[in-house]
């Protein structure tokens, strides 16, 4: 429920309700996660079971390694105008990665963190839809 206001237009008074609308972020980054499962024979579980602290340390190392890959997705549908990076480039937070034209406006896509470009999925002239993978970055 929003706030209710009275507005006067000429000599008429109108009652209006105003709601706050929260917009979604205009760009999303997804992480590639690989599932790993360790299998031990049932008879050796008691003898070889690691201590709880060892399991936590081991899992957190795997998580750090597997969560290094992130994708830059198209925030809106449009046409790729410029790609400023290529695989192997090291980029800094805030640097321009590419430019998308949408509704006759040029929209620059910036790096959100320091990374290395692992792969580029688009070329100038390509048309993209929202959430299409544009780049693969490795932290």
């Amino acid at each position: 429920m929003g706030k209710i206001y009275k507005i006067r237009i000429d000599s008429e008074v109108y009652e209006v309700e105003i709601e706050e609308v929260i917009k979604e972020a205009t760009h999303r980054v997804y992480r590639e996660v690989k599932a790993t499962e360790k299998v031990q024979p049932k008879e050796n579980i008691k003898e070889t079971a690691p201590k709880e602290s060892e399991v936590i340390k081991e899992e957190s190392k795997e998580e750090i390694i597997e969560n290094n890959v992130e994708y830059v997705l198209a925030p809106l549908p449009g046409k790729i105008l410029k790609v400023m990076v290529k695989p192997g480039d090291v980029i800094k937070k805030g640097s321009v990665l590419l430019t998308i034209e949408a509704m006759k406006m040029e929209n620059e896509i910036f790096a959100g963190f320091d990374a290395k470009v692992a792969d580029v999925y688009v070329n100038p002239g390509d048309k993209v839809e929202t959430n299409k993978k544009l780049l693969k970055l490795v932290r």
Side-chain angles (χ1 to χ4, degrees), residues 62-112:
E62 288 175 3
E63 182 179 84
I64 290 168
I65 292 167
E66 291 175 359
N67 287 336
N68 282 349
V69 175
E70 297 199 21
Y71 293 98
V72 176
L73 304 180
L76 66 169
K79 179 180 169 184
I80 302 296
L81 290 182
K82 300 175 198 168
V83 179
M84 283 76 149
V85 296
K86 61 185 180 307
D89 286 356
V90 176
I91 56 171
K92 295 287 182 191
K93 179 179 180 178
S95 57
V96 178
L97 303 173
L98 48 89
T99 305
I100 298 177
E101 178 186 44
M103 297 174 55
K104 299 189 182 199
M105 291 185 64
E106 292 184 14
N107 301 280
E108 292 180 324
I109 307 300
F110 299 94

Side-chain angles (χ1 to χ4, degrees), residues 10-118:
D10 295 328
S11 60
E12 295 289 322
V13 177
Y14 299 92
E15 198 172 271
V16 295
E17 180 179 349
I18 299 177
E19 277 185 45
E20 181 180 352
V21 178
I22 300 172
K23 293 184 177 182
E24 278 189 43
T26 58
H27 127 208
R28 298 180 180 144
V29 177
Y30 290 92
R31 296 179 179 193
E32 181 179 290
V33 179
K34 297 177 185 171
T36 58
E37 183 178 336
K38 296 179 182 174
V39 180
Q40 294 181 352
K42 287 184 181 181
E43 61 273 7
N44 294 337
I45 288 179
K46 288 181 184 176
E47 297 170 16
T48 62
K51 296 177 188 172
E52 188 176 331
S53 60
E54 291 174 352
V55 172
I56 292 169
K57 287 178 187 174
E58 191 172 327
E59 287 175 0
S60 61
K61 284 180 188 174
E62 288 175 3
E63 182 179 84
I64 290 168
I65 292 167
E66 291 175 359
N67 287 336
N68 282 349
V69 175
E70 297 199 21
Y71 293 98
V72 176
L73 304 180
L76 66 169
K79 179 180 169 184
I80 302 296
L81 290 182
K82 300 175 198 168
V83 179
M84 283 76 149
V85 296
K86 61 185 180 307
D89 286 356
V90 176
I91 56 171
K92 295 287 182 191
K93 179 179 180 178
S95 57
V96 178
L97 303 173
L98 48 89
T99 305
I100 298 177
E101 178 186 44
M103 297 174 55
K104 299 189 182 199
M105 291 185 64
E106 292 184 14
N107 301 280
E108 292 180 324
I109 307 300
F110 299 94
F113 48 86
D114 294 349
K116 183 176 180 180
V117 178

